[in-house]
Amino acid sequence: MEGGNAGVAVSGPDACLQCSHELVGRGGCSTPQTQKDSLLFQRPRTLAYAPLSVVMASSLAAFHSAAGHLPRPRRQKGGAAHARAFSFLCLLHLPPEPPPRRRFRRVAAETTECDASRSRTSQFATGGADGTTGDGGGRTRGGAGVDVAAVAAALRDARTADDVERLVSGFLDGGGGGLLPLQVYTTVIRGLGKEGRLDAAFAVVEHLRRRRVGLNQFVYNCLLGAVKSCGEFGRAESVLADMEAEGISPNIVTFNTLMSMYVQQGKVDDVFRVYAEVEGRELVPTAATYSTVMSAYKKSGDAFGAIEFLVMLREKYKKGELVGNRDDWEREFAKFEKLTVRVCHMSMRQSLVGGQNPVGEVLKVLLAMDEAGVRPERRDYERLVWACTGEEHYTIGKELYQRIRDHGDGEISLSVCNHLIWLMGKAKKWWAALEIYEDLLDKGPKPNNLSYELIMSHFNILLNAAKRRGIWRWGVRLLNKMQEKGLKPGSKEWNAVLLACSRASEASAAVDIFKKMIEDGLKPDVVSYGALLSALEKGKLYDEALRVWEHMCKVGVEPNLYAYTILVSIYIGKGNHDMVDAVLRNMLSKQIEPTVVTFNAIISACVRNNMGGTAFEWFHRMKMRSIEPNEITYQMLIEALVQDGKPRLAYEMYMRACSQGLELPVKSYDTVMEACKSYGSLIDLTTLGPRPSKRVEPIRVENDHFLSFSQMKDLPSSTHHFVGTGMYGFFRYRMAR
């Protein structure tokens, strides 16, 4: 072979199946066996845009890799061919065909002119052995140039073998009667498949069969690849049936293509069935075979199956059962491990999104990966952290965080840390969130404004819990903890602790915290003064409370409705009813209307000071101002009337409340019942009705405003709730397993 024909492999009865070189006499192929074996790991390149010499070399690589372990097929007749056809067609669930050879289904189409077809623009690049394009730039045959791109463009609209015969004749020497090199046809077949011209590809194969060209595995594998590229998977049946009819046994490339088509269709079970057929035929799988099987595991989301398959491949590699270069397999195993990580990541993500037991399922996959030696990278863990969004995912979040910290140099994305701080707060694991924030301070990365806001919000939740429960000592410890971690408590945080002292009636503690707040450089607001006044009023330190009021007005802090409410409670406690009226008039002069909370505070102060008659008087004054009483009003009023020895009036107030649709607590019912019995009142107690079911009684709070602005539900009653939220849940799970 000379000139333009240099580098063109021979295809025929006298060509080597492994390298397509011409046989040298009876001594066999001249290519060294080591060079043939190295072809097993060569990757086929895209052929449509390369010169023909490069196209043919890369096109034959797939055929070389498969043919190295298969004998050259011979045509068989009668029962033997029919038996082999039945075995292979079982892969497609098809009935066996009779021995006579099947031909391709011909599709009628309009005939196009050769010159018009050759002039069309196509995606096929024009190139030849000499690297030129255009006229004479293609591969030469018999001294004449063959433009592969032009051939492909001309055959794009071919529908039958006759169309191919007529269109190809223009590229032959003498105008017809011959054939182009077989490699040109195979390149055109694959290119037509990429363009979606599957009918033309089938017509080319039918043309070769008519001309009695020795069709081989490579031709049919190219046609099967064209079927895969077009996505018309149903036509693969006819290709496989014709292979068996021609007596051509499928090789590993055929099975790889078939499995790849099943993966694209989502038929995972069929992929495993074909792989079992490969092992049953004792074919030598390639890296593409194993990669396709791994893709099937990814399609099904079977993380454990992918891990077991990877372990099996490693065992085969250690035993020397994988044929090929060791370095090549090392690179392939790196790809397999990455693919296994992706399969596991997808499986864990699906469990987090819609699993029945997401925590258990994800932890089992992580444990299986550890046992198999599959080590994801940091970014794989971080992507999984972002999938943790539910309250029940905090255990997974903590485990992934610990793995990232233990991985390599311990670097972690700040955004991931912020997400974990948010997640821990959502799951009410505030101490765990604080641990992550402490790691940011000690190990990095440096926290940003979002980190600060998130951790401050968690502290505020804890402080609000302390405020509602009246656990002022816990609130003080939280403030100290914030200052230790470089967090500066603001007025909101200090006010929460002051309100906790007010809730617990701890006047001395409230005074100390108020002083520390000022020493910390913060200016008390009306909420701060109101909480302090409430604590002093509950401690019956009325004179000290009045001095605080004077100081508040002196520094320019304008009192609001609820501050005035506390002030009237102070004067009620002192027994100075004239000042109570003066305070109410002062409120009206500043256009501050008293509410039911104001009168509830006055009536409650009367109850604490055993002034039942005064409480009933203020109840009438409230009605005169058209202020509707609520449950707390009637509850306090009934208690005040019983203290004053007026059970009948207490009975009437209870019945009035019930007639208005208010639900008084069991305590009020019992108070009226016991008072009527004790005083011997002639009242039909059956009119009270059945005893109400036990329920939570309304909270009697004079300065209800200072607690209402941050009501939180389901908050812990003690610090015991936060115990045991460390970073070792996964290790406890492993021991239990």
Side-chain angles (χ1 to χ4, degrees):
M1 303 175 68
E2 299 178 357
N5 258 353
V8 178
V10 178
S11 178
D14 296 328
C16 178
L17 281 176
Q18 289 183 316
C19 60
S20 299
H21 285 181
E22 189 173 6
L23 298 179
V24 181
R26 297 184 178 271
C29 178
S30 61
T31 303
Q33 184 64 34
T34 56
Q35 182 177 350
K36 297 178 183 179
D37 293 338
S38 65
L39 294 174
L40 179 62
F41 299 99
Q42 292 180 359
R43 288 187 173 184
R45 301 178 182 175
T46 303
L47 305 179
Y49 298 94
L52 184 58
S53 58
V54 178
V55 165
M56 291 313 306
S58 59
S59 302
L60 290 173
F63 175 63
H64 296 161
S65 64
H69 54 78
L70 289 175
R72 183 175 180 85
R74 296 180 179 180
R75 294 179 179 267
Q76 298 184 12
K77 299 181 180 179
H82 181 65
R84 189 168 61 253
F86 173 76
S87 173
F88 187 65
L89 291 178
C90 284
L91 295 175
L92 296 170
H93 309 289
L94 296 176
E97 295 294 333
R101 188 179 74 183
R102 291 178 58 192
R103 294 186 177 274
F104 289 98
R105 194 166 48 240
R106 297 188 180 184
V107 181
E110 295 182 1
T111 303
T112 56
E113 294 298 327
C114 179
D115 295 338
S117 299
R118 294 178 61 181
S119 63
R120 291 181 180 176
T121 303
S122 172
Q123 69 171 353
F124 293 100
T126 305
D130 56 355
T132 61
T133 60
D135 297 338
R139 188 180 296 275
T140 60
R141 179 180 179 275
V146 178
D147 192 338
V148 179
V151 174
L155 297 178
R156 291 175 75 249
D157 296 326
R159 293 294 180 270
T160 63
D162 295 334
D163 295 340
V164 176
E165 180 79 21
R166 179 175 52 81
L167 295 173
V168 169
S169 62
F171 298 93
L172 298 173
D173 296 338
L179 284 173
L180 297 174
L182 182 62
Q183 293 84 356
V184 174
Y185 289 107
T186 56
T187 303
V188 169
I189 290 171
R190 288 188 295 180
L192 291 173
K194 293 179 181 179
E195 277 197 342
R197 304 283 180 167
L198 191 57
D199 291 335
F202 273 84
V204 171
V205 175
E206 182 65 22
H207 165 70
L208 293 176
R209 181 183 291 106
R210 282 188 178 182
R211 299 300 299 269
R212 300 186 180 279
V213 174
L215 300 179
N216 55 26
Q217 294 169 330
F218 188 45
V219 174
Y220 279 107
N221 286 339
C222 290
L223 183 59
L224 200 61
V227 172
K228 173 189 170 184
S229 299
C230 293
E232 298 182 21
F233 304 115
R235 302 185 70 172
E237 300 175 0
S238 60
V239 178
L240 299 175
D242 277 332
M243 288 182 67
E244 294 297 335
E246 292 285 343
I248 300 175
S249 299
N251 60 7
I252 191 61
V253 177
T254 310
F255 286 108
N256 289 348
T257 307
L258 187 60
M259 287 192 295
S260 180
M261 287 191 289
Y262 282 139
V263 169
Q264 292 183 18
Q265 298 176 76
K267 298 180 179 179
V268 178
D269 294 337
D270 289 333
V271 175
F272 298 139
R273 178 173 51 80
V274 173
Y275 179 72
E277 181 71 14
V278 171
E279 292 182 332
R281 290 176 177 243
E282 297 183 353
L283 298 177
V284 179
T286 63
T289 309
Y290 298 131
S291 179
T292 305
V293 174
M294 195 69 74
S295 299
Y297 283 115
K298 181 180 179 182
K299 196 78 172 181
S300 63
D302 187 0
F304 297 104
I307 293 173
E308 292 176 2
F309 189 73
L310 180 65
V311 172
M312 181 270 293
L313 289 181
R314 284 177 177 170
E315 292 297 326
K316 283 188 175 183
Y317 178 69
K318 291 179 181 178
K319 295 178 181 179
E321 298 178 4
L322 299 181
V323 181
N325 185 276
R326 185 180 184 86
D327 295 335
D328 293 335
W329 276 113
E330 288 290 342
R331 289 191 294 269
E332 293 297 333
F333 269 114
K335 299 175 184 177
F336 292 155
E337 185 167 345
K338 290 182 179 179
L339 186 56
T340 304
V341 171
R342 288 198 292 270
V343 175
C344 295
H345 177 271
M346 185 179 67
S347 174
M348 290 186 287
R349 189 179 183 90
Q350 291 175 349
S351 299
L352 290 172
V353 173
Q356 297 294 331
N357 180 24
V359 176
E361 294 172 2
V362 173
L363 290 179
K364 287 179 181 179
V365 174
L366 289 175
L367 183 57
M369 294 173 69
D370 291 341
E371 294 175 350
V374 179
R375 297 176 179 83
E377 297 182 358
R378 176 173 67 92
R379 62 174 178 268
D380 298 319
Y381 286 130
E382 290 183 347
R383 284 199 299 266
L384 195 59
V385 168
W386 286 108
C388 298
T389 57
E391 295 182 9
E392 68 279 8
H393 297 161
Y394 76 92
T395 303
I396 303 299
K398 290 188 297 183
E399 174 61 26
L400 295 174
Y401 174 78
Q402 192 64 42
R403 286 171 175 263
I404 295 173
R405 283 296 188 184
D406 295 340
H407 186 278
D409 53 4
E411 292 185 0
I412 187 172
S413 171
L414 179 59
S415 60
V416 172
C417 292
N418 289 339
H419 178 75
L420 286 170
I421 293 174
W422 169 83
L423 178 64
M424 298 305 160
K426 184 177 182 180
K428 300 180 182 179
K429 305 299 179 182
W430 295 285
W431 292 141
L434 182 58
E435 290 180 11
I436 298 175
Y437 186 80
E438 290 175 349
D439 287 343
L440 291 179
L441 297 176
D442 299 337
K443 304 176 183 179
K446 185 179 179 181
N448 57 9
N449 291 336
L450 180 58
S451 311
Y452 179 84
E453 292 175 2
L454 286 171
I455 202 65
M456 285 294 292
S457 68
H458 295 343
F459 271 109
N460 280 321
I461 292 174
L462 298 176
L463 289 169
N464 286 333
K467 175 185 65 180
R468 292 187 67 249
R469 306 291 182 179
I471 314 174
W472 64 273
R473 290 186 178 86
W474 185 27
V476 172
R477 288 197 296 269
L478 288 172
L479 292 179
N480 294 335
K481 190 73 172 178
M482 293 176 66
Q483 292 175 339
E484 290 176 7
K485 302 306 175 184
L487 302 173
K488 184 176 177 59
S491 298
K492 183 178 180 181
E493 289 72 32
W494 285 100
N495 289 342
V497 182
L498 284 172
L499 291 169
C501 294
S502 171
R503 176 74 174 169
S505 301
E506 292 287 343
S508 59
V511 172
D512 292 338
I513 294 172
F514 190 85
K515 291 180 180 178
K516 290 181 180 179
M517 179 180 179
I518 297 175
E519 292 173 359
D520 201 44
L522 296 175
K523 182 179 179 181
D525 54 12
V526 66
V527 178
S528 310
Y529 280 105
L532 181 58
L533 287 170
S534 177
L536 294 173
E537 185 268 333
K538 290 181 179 180
K540 297 185 178 182
L541 301 175
Y542 303 122
D543 294 334
E544 288 80 356
L546 292 175
R547 285 196 294 269
V548 171
W549 179 272
E550 292 175 359
H551 181 269
M552 178 183 70
C553 297
K554 183 178 179 180
V555 297
V557 176
E558 290 292 334
N560 57 12
L561 170 63
Y562 301 97
Y564 279 115
T565 299
I566 299 171
L567 183 60
V568 297
S569 299
I570 293 171
Y571 284 120
I572 286 290
K574 288 177 67 67
N576 193 343
H577 300 284
D578 295 335
M579 286 303 300
V580 174
D581 292 331
V583 171
L584 292 177
R585 288 193 298 270
N586 189 20
M587 292 174 61
L588 293 174
S589 65
K590 294 185 177 181
Q591 297 182 349
I592 299 176
E593 290 288 340
T595 63
V596 66
V597 176
T598 307
F599 286 95
N600 285 349
I602 296 173
I603 295 173
S604 299
C606 293
V607 173
R608 288 198 303 271
N609 292 277
N610 296 320
M611 295 184 295
T614 305
F616 192 65
E617 179 185 348
W618 281 104
F619 176 76
H620 279 288
R621 295 179 67 173
M622 180 178 65
K623 295 290 290 183
M624 291 174 62
R625 292 179 179 271
S626 300
I627 298 175
E628 290 295 328
N630 57 16
E631 290 92 340
I632 296 176
T633 309
Y634 282 107
Q635 179 186 355
M636 294 298 101
L637 182 59
I638 290 171
E639 187 176 347
L641 293 173
V642 171
Q643 288 177 356
D644 203 31
K646 299 176 181 178
R648 178 173 288 276
L649 194 55
Y651 167 80
E652 292 176 358
M653 292 297 104
Y654 184 87
M655 296 304 294
R656 182 186 295 184
C658 292
S659 65
Q660 293 178 2
L662 301 177
E663 296 182 4
L664 296 183
V666 178
K667 181 180 179 180
S668 299
Y669 180 90
D670 294 339
T671 300
V672 174
M673 183 71 70
E674 293 174 2
C676 292
K677 291 179 180 180
S678 299
Y679 286 96
S681 179
L682 300 177
I683 299 175
D684 186 7
L685 297 179
T686 58
T687 57
L688 290 174
R691 188 172 184 267
S693 58
K694 189 175 181 179
R695 66 183 182 90
V696 179
E697 297 185 5
I699 301 174
R700 177 168 56 91
V701 179
E702 288 79 8
N703 57 335
D704 188 61
H705 164 71
F706 305 112
L707 297 176
S708 61
F709 72 92
S710 59
Q711 297 293 326
M712 303 294 293
K713 296 182 179 180
D714 301 327
L715 288 171
S717 58
S718 67
T719 57
H720 177 74
H721 178 82
F722 305 104
V723 177
T725 56
M727 297 296 183
Y728 309 101
F730 179 67
F731 301 102
R732 290 198 297 269
Y733 167 82
R734 180 179 295 183
M735 294 297 294
R737 186 170 182 266

